[in-house]
Amino acid sequence: MNKRQKKTLLILGGVVLLAAVLVCALLLWPKEGDEEGSKITIPLSQRTTDQVQKITVENGLGSYTFERTGTEEWTVPLLRDSGVPIDRTDLTNCARYAAELSAETLVAEDLEKAAEFGLDDPTAFATIEYTDGGKLELEFGDPYTGNNGYYFKLKGENTIYGISLAPVSFLTGSVLDFADLYLSPFDDTSSDNVTSFRFTNKNGAFAVDNIGDQNVIDGYGTYYKYQMTSPVTAYVDPEYFHETFADLMRIQASSAKILNPTEGQLADAGLDVPISTIELGEGEDFTRILIGKKDGDGYYAVKEGIPVIYRIADYVVTWLDCTPYQMSTKALCAPSMDQVSAVEVAFDGENYRFDIADAAQNKASYGGKELNAASFKDAYKLFCSLRSEYTADAPDRIGETEVQITFHLKDGSTRRVELCSYENRRLAVRVDGSAQYAVRKAAGDAMKNGVKALIAGEAVTAAY
């Protein structure tokens, strides 16, 4: 093929490509008179929100009214009179859409195809009344562009419109669309402001108090803000608290399902015998939430005193499977150094006692000889480092004590931790004679090596 032929072919290819682009553009260009039309803005009302006086809604989900109560203030009487908290943001949004209602598609200018769009026999109605005496009466038909909106017309007129869901969601939905879905009694979003909470689940009845003002810090440097008093007494593990209860301040339902439920409806939702309850607050000033049956990826719930059955997503009710073991701090014995007068560590037939002279300065001695303060600080942190890593669920397999750590407290009491031979390269841990936990065997080796390094004046590592 010579150069001239190649050039001719390139020119022909370019012409074909250009023609293809033009054909595609013509095919994709919106057609006038297309049933769904091109998206435009067709104003039906151009007013301010404060001119929205009243809205009346009637559809398959029920009927309700939305009324103006004052400047930039509205209410939904059915919810208000039932004692159901109302989401003020939803009220404002509804008034805003009603004040400046616009269709987005002109579908037809006659009613010849009314049946095709479900408007020969409308099943949903909404009337918007304005303070200037104006009124819009809407009749709704089938879903528009899937389920993202509706076809509708104005009463007495022939034009058929399409509109997306957002502007008419409160004109085509349920009165419960206005219900406030936040169930916690708090205004602040920080869990630090939870003074106390109680909950029940299949593992027992739990009671937790905020003790942050007590400034509780253990010998490992962990700060505790919450203490569990039931079913066992223990500081709440900070990491577990953060993962499980950080959102207690803002428990939110995903939807409100039934207003003024009957006893039968409560029973059907499993709320006559709830699987869990949670109480937030203190004294007589608390909120109780009941959790019922599971529904898909959520649960039915009621907030005591509010006549509504809600649905809560499963990731919100984080306390349903909590156990005392999970809640309790993983520090098996970690008293703050300023509470301790001496520490004894025994292993391999030897006993080592370290007397604490000044906790603030990490001053301690062994056999009358003062120890390096930095090394003793690290050693004490090591003695307090035992964290429950497993449960000791085979008590018959617990063997001899390999390492024993005894904290002598200034009040005259003692706390004793024993690391005992166990299974699978683990050590069972007895705390004051009770074995409930297990740790890696490396913990015992670390205790022995730490004591030897401390006595030798060498650096001590708290890690293992």
Side-chain angles (χ1 to χ4, degrees), residues 4-70:
R4 185 181 227 175
Q5 289 175 319
K6 289 181 180 179
K7 186 175 181 180
T8 302
L9 284 175
L10 286 172
I11 292 173
L12 287 173
V15 171
V16 171
L17 179 61
L18 179 60
V21 171
L22 289 173
V23 169
C24 288
L26 288 171
L27 289 173
L28 295 174
W29 194 268
K31 295 180 182 178
E32 263 191 62
D34 185 62
E35 260 181 14
E36 302 244 335
S38 56
K39 288 193 175 181
I40 54 179
T41 298
I42 307 170
L44 302 177
S45 171
Q46 293 179 300
R47 294 175 171 86
T48 65
T49 56
D50 202 40
Q51 288 181 288
V52 177
Q53 179 65 39
K54 183 178 181 180
I55 299 174
T56 304
V57 172
E58 181 182 348
N59 57 42
L61 300 174
S63 59
Y64 66 89
T65 60
F66 169 105
E67 297 178 0
R68 182 173 180 268
T69 57

Side-chain angles (χ1 to χ4, degrees), residues 366-381:
Y366 170 68
K369 181 181 177 181
E370 187 170 330
L371 298 166
N372 177 275
S375 293
F376 182 71
K377 179 181 179 181
D378 290 337
Y380 190 85
K381 188 174 182 180

